[in-house]
Amino acid sequence: MVNLSIPYNYTASPSSFGGTPHLTINREATIELDSKNAFEGPEKLLEVWFSASPDALPGTTATNGLKAVSAELWKEMLDLVNCKVLSVIESEHVDAYLLSESSMFVFPHKLILKTCGTTTLLCGLPRMLEIAALAAGFPHVVANPLNGIQAAATPYRVFYSRKNFLYPDMQRGPHRSWRDEVRTLDKMFLGGSAYMIGKMNGEHWYLYLTNPGTILTPPATPTSDVGEDIETETKLLRFPPELAATGVHTTDGCGEDETLEILMTDLEEENAKQFYLDHASAVAEGQYFEKAHEALQSARSSLGDIKGSRSPNLDDEVDVFSNTSSDCDDLVSPSNEPIFPEELTTEGHALGTVVSESSGLSEVYPASKYPDARIDAYLFTPCGFSANGVVPAQGGTNSSSSVHYFTVHVTPEPHCSYASFETNVPSRQTGRETVEVIEQVVGIFKPGRFSVTLFEAKPHIEDSGCSDSQDESMREMKSVAKRSSRMEAIKGYRRIDRIVHDLDGYDLVFRYYERYDWKGGAPRIGEIGF
């Protein structure tokens, strides 16, 4: 007699595999989590570096830097930001936190925090600096105790950016305007630079950054008359197209930084339904019963083979799933019909995995090419989707600089539809051009319009005056020009805007596209100017 039942815990989920990265789910935070009141998809993005690389941690710092900080401390900081931790992928070189409003990535030397909605991201920055000082041991200064902060670690560099808000009047705290955000950052850091990239009356993107070796702004004394803060001027960047073709540098050196961000609006309405719970549940049910049917058919076929060579002990019960489970309940009804698990109609992480696979997001960095990659996805009620991915380099290189991330967030409601994709997986690792990744992602979401920002660390080419150095520079320029020309022709879209800027240590390229058949009118700006 053969036991044909499929165990409840029989799963092919990546999180069930042994080894690292390891997934931890905060079930308590996911209870009654509902996205129906979410509206502001465009995220605020903060990246704080405390050293130039994981290999350059100061001597006073814990061995694994920021990763030595407990999850509980980070959760306290996130309370100030007004978001919760849903789950965590823990790995040797980076911990990826999936949040109720977007994501956080903790490396030994830097922290990336990305939050959407009406979160108050910058309100958590002082506490972040304090945690880096007291819990991770980074060099610090004594902070102003009147603010409840004992110390502040001195960052190496700080980056803060965001797209123009759709509903700026709904924001809270320092995020009601870009000017307020710049003032808040200026109160913490000396010598910061603020930029607005794009059309003031069109789609645009804001950036604030500090130079290497950031200096904290000293707290004002009661006797000082610096009551009126000196505000960093926001520079409007618009560059001639002919400069853009040659103004970008590639990143070929190991360990250099490269970040791609795709910000998409006006998602095709029918296509966006795949990010609704009802649709995902239907997909999960179909997939589940198909796999259950295949398993039952396979078991019955095996039973037929056994009958063909009947042995004296055939009446003994045979558990065809004994290699995967030792104690399992039946997953079939009395009528031998498979029972659909309730969690596949309600559980955010289970449905998130379904959406990640059915939408094609899991194929951006496929398991066939990145077998050690892990994806942590969540589908909100009644709609909305978030996912984090940790992507180790191919070949199992055991280096912190060879472990990268990607993150995806989707607000599918038609009146405020938005999706974002961000990654620091370098193009040299994927074996594909950046434009191919963009086309794959855009093909998944089908936006009416989208913008692309690409940050690349400048290559270190020694200018010795010799012919070899000059030849290398020339090859670099030709390669850049070729890659730049490919970015002009995203399938199905026309490029509207292109801006290039030379920052300290980085090149930044901003591009804005609209679909050829787009008839949705002017962009929904929401926020105009500074």
Side-chain angles (χ1 to χ4, degrees):
M1 184 169 60
V2 178
N3 180 2
L4 299 177
S5 62
I6 302 173
Y8 280 112
N9 60 341
Y10 184 65
T11 175
S13 169
S15 62
S16 66
F17 301 149
T20 57
H22 174 70
L23 174 66
T24 302
I25 297 176
N26 181 4
R27 302 290 183 186
E28 184 177 337
T30 63
I31 295 175
E32 298 180 355
L33 193 60
D34 196 315
S35 69
K36 62 178 176 287
N37 294 321
F39 61 92
E40 187 68 73
E43 302 97 341
K44 313 165 184 83
L45 176 59
L46 176 67
E47 189 165 331
V48 183
W49 293 52
F50 293 95
S51 68
S53 74
D55 302 321
L57 297 178
T60 59
T61 310
T63 304
N64 53 348
L66 293 173
K67 279 178 52 58
V69 178
S70 70
E72 292 306 313
L73 278 179
W74 292 131
K75 289 176 183 177
E76 289 178 13
M77 182 272 292
L78 291 170
D79 285 341
L80 301 173
V81 179
N82 291 296
C83 58
K84 301 293 183 182
V85 174
L86 303 182
S87 50
V88 187
I89 300 178
E90 298 175 359
S91 68
E92 183 179 357
H93 301 299
V94 59
D95 294 336
Y97 288 73
L98 194 64
L99 308 179
S100 55
E101 285 83 8
S102 300
S103 303
M104 180 173 75
F105 297 90
V106 180
F107 295 81
H109 67 302
K110 67 179 180 181
L111 184 144
I112 301 170
L113 180 56
K114 187 172 192 173
T115 66
C116 60
T118 57
T119 50
T120 51
L121 187 151
L122 292 180
C123 292
L125 182 53
R127 177 63 174 146
M128 185 189 300
L129 299 181
E130 182 183 41
I131 290 173
L134 302 183
F138 282 94
H140 58 274
V141 298
V142 177
N144 189 344
L146 296 178
N147 296 329
I149 301 296
Q150 300 180 36
T154 304
Y156 171 71
R157 294 202 79 165
V158 176
F159 303 84
Y160 176 72
S161 63
R162 65 170 175 84
K163 179 186 177 296
N164 54 288
F165 288 135
L166 297 176
Y167 306 98
D169 294 341
M170 300 298 294
Q171 292 297 318
R172 298 180 291 173
H175 299 288
R176 292 187 176 93
S177 72
W178 175 244
R179 176 165 292 173
D180 287 345
E181 291 170 314
V182 171
R183 286 173 177 167
T184 299
L185 291 163
D186 279 347
K187 288 178 180 178
M188 302 186 67
F189 310 113
L190 286 176
S193 299
Y195 303 90
M196 193 191 84
I197 304 168
K199 297 178 180 178
M200 186 178 296
N201 61 344
E203 292 283 353
H204 53 271
W205 188 74
Y206 297 106
L207 170 68
Y208 182 99
L209 77 165
T210 65
N211 294 324
T214 302
I215 300 175
L216 296 174
T217 302
T221 62
T223 57
S224 69
D225 55 0
V226 191
E228 298 181 2
D229 299 324
I230 299 176
E231 179 185 338
T232 296
E233 177 188 0
T234 296
K235 303 167 186 174
L236 179 61
L237 300 185
R238 298 277 304 160
F239 279 72
E242 59 270 17
L243 293 183
T246 58
V248 192
H249 297 274
T250 58
T251 304
D252 296 323
C254 182
E256 291 184 322
D257 190 32
E258 176 181 334
T259 301
L260 169 69
E261 191 174 27
I262 309 170
L263 308 178
M264 297 162 278
T265 60
D266 304 289
L267 310 183
E268 186 179 270
E269 191 169 339
E270 191 64 28
N271 183 68
K273 290 180 179 178
Q274 63 187 314
F275 301 103
Y276 281 74
L277 185 141
D278 289 346
H279 184 279
S281 296
V283 171
E285 185 173 0
Q287 292 179 345
Y288 179 83
F289 283 122
E290 181 181 353
K291 291 180 180 179
H293 178 73
E294 291 174 356
L296 289 170
Q297 289 296 103
S298 176
R300 290 191 180 108
S301 176
S302 298
L303 177 60
D305 293 340
I306 294 174
K307 284 184 176 179
S309 57
R310 187 177 182 86
S311 66
N313 297 322
L314 184 61
D315 290 335
D316 293 342
E317 181 172 307
V318 179
D319 183 0
V320 297
F321 292 102
S322 59
N323 65 324
T324 60
S325 175
S326 57
D327 58 335
C328 51
D329 300 319
D330 290 346
L331 200 57
V332 294
S333 66
S335 61
N336 286 329
E337 290 295 325
I339 300 172
F340 186 53
E342 183 180 358
E343 59 266 26
L344 286 181
T345 64
T346 59
E347 210 286 311
H349 284 93
L351 288 171
T353 299
V354 170
V355 172
S356 179
E357 294 175 353
S358 64
S359 67
L361 283 168
S362 61
E363 291 302 308
V364 177
Y365 302 110
S368 58
K369 193 171 184 178
Y370 301 93
D372 296 324
R374 291 293 178 265
I375 300 177
D376 177 18
Y378 191 92
L379 185 70
F380 295 88
T381 302
C383 62
F385 174 84
S386 288
N388 285 341
V390 174
V391 186
Q394 296 170 272
T397 304
N398 188 24
S399 166
S400 55
S401 61
S402 63
V403 178
H404 303 92
Y405 72 90
F406 72 89
T407 183
V408 180
H409 303 283
V410 186
T411 302
E413 296 96 324
H415 64 284
C416 57
S417 63
Y418 172 83
S420 68
F421 175 90
E422 179 189 342
T423 183
N424 73 337
V425 179
S427 55
R428 59 181 169 77
Q429 179 174 309
T430 65
R432 297 187 294 170
E433 290 187 39
T434 301
V435 67
E436 295 178 85
V437 176
I438 295 172
E439 288 178 342
Q440 184 174 2
V441 171
V442 168
I444 292 171
F445 295 101
K446 297 178 171 53
R449 40 190 148 218
F450 67 94
S451 62
V452 174
T453 58
L454 180 62
F455 258 108
E456 291 183 303
K458 295 179 181 179
H460 300 289
I461 299 177
E462 296 292 338
D463 186 11
S464 60
C466 67
S467 59
D468 288 344
S469 175
Q470 293 172 353
D471 290 345
E472 185 176 359
S473 298
M474 185 61 66
R475 287 193 300 269
E476 181 82 4
M477 292 179 65
K478 289 181 179 180
S479 174
V480 167
K482 182 178 179 180
R483 289 175 55 195
S484 181
S485 65
R486 284 281 288 114
M487 292 284 286
E488 297 299 296
I490 302 294
K491 293 177 182 177
Y493 292 84
R494 65 176 178 273
R495 198 264 305 154
I496 303 297
D497 226 349
R498 177 181 56 191
I499 300 168
V500 179
H501 192 55
D502 182 358
L503 302 172
D504 188 357
Y506 286 86
D507 285 309
L508 166 65
V509 186
F510 171 89
R511 289 179 173 91
Y512 169 64
Y513 303 82
E514 289 186 358
R515 202 169 60 221
Y516 280 116
D517 62 351
W518 174 247
K519 299 178 181 178
R524 293 174 295 176
I525 304 305
E527 182 178 11
I528 298 177
F530 310 149

